[in-house]
Amino acid sequence: MSTKNNIHITEVLIMNKAIIMGRLSADPDFRQTENGISTCRFTVAVQDDYKNKDGSRNVDFINCKAWRSTAEYVSRYFKKGSRIAIIGKNKCDVYDKNGEKQYFNYIKVESVEFAGYNKPTSENANDNDKDYPAEFDEIIAEDSPF
């Protein structure tokens, strides 16, 4: 806190950071603006860490929007059901629809990461439980020391 002419000025630190991890509820919706800027919208299903009285867990569906290279990355390597970890900022777009204000809350994605592997199902049991794109197969070779 600083004082200038007997007026107290307080500096306030404002933080807007969101960290979520979950699964894509649908394939990403990739588009480009009229100026050629890549954008991608998707929704992440995030399950509560506690169970309800009936033993089930609530799920939140969180809207996300990525831009430029991050949008291209998400649209290329993630699909419905993929586990994803996101760091971003809470944002709210306001627009007019039929004379009424509408609000669209979302996470403006700053970075994304793969967040684990899918459990095997009868359809992908022979895929070694992978939850990564086929392009990464040659990187994750069986003779790899990792």
Side-chain angles (χ1 to χ4, degrees):
M1 183 163 68
S2 61
T3 304
K4 184 176 181 180
N5 299 332
N6 295 329
I7 299 174
H8 296 283
I9 302 170
T10 304
E11 292 183 32
V12 178
L13 176 64
I14 299 173
M15 183 184 297
N16 180 358
K17 189 65 72 174
I19 303 170
I20 62 170
M21 186 168 25
R23 292 184 181 272
L24 267 66
S25 64
D27 289 339
D29 180 21
F30 178 80
R31 298 179 186 200
Q32 287 190 324
T33 66
E34 292 176 3
N35 296 331
I37 298 172
S38 300
T39 183
C40 181
R41 288 186 181 193
F42 55 96
T43 302
V44 178
V46 178
Q47 194 174 53
D48 283 347
D49 57 352
Y50 61 88
K51 292 182 180 180
N52 296 327
K53 291 179 183 178
D54 65 359
S56 66
R57 297 177 191 260
N58 290 332
V59 177
D60 293 316
F61 293 90
I62 301 171
N63 296 312
C64 300
K65 193 187 302 185
W67 293 90
R68 295 179 173 76
S69 61
T70 305
E72 293 168 8
Y73 182 78
V74 169
S75 67
R76 182 172 181 187
Y77 294 114
F78 292 88
K79 63 184 186 324
K80 179 179 179 178
S82 296
R83 291 183 183 183
I84 190 168
I86 296 170
I87 298 175
K89 294 181 178 183
N90 290 304
K91 300 297 256 176
C92 182
D93 286 345
V94 181
Y95 60 95
D96 185 68
K97 183 177 180 180
N98 300 327
E100 292 186 33
K101 279 188 179 182
Q102 301 291 314
Y103 300 90
F104 178 72
N105 293 300
Y106 64 96
I107 303 296
K108 181 180 178 188
V109 178
E110 296 173 348
S111 66
V112 298
E113 297 284 336
F114 290 101
Y117 299 96
N118 284 330
K119 293 180 182 176
T121 64
S122 59
E123 294 174 11
N124 67 359
N126 296 327
D127 289 342
N128 296 324
D129 301 343
K130 68 180 184 180
D131 187 30
Y132 53 84
E135 292 93 322
F136 289 130
D137 280 340
E138 66 185 54
I139 297 170
I140 307 173
E142 287 185 26
D143 59 345
S144 173
F146 301 108

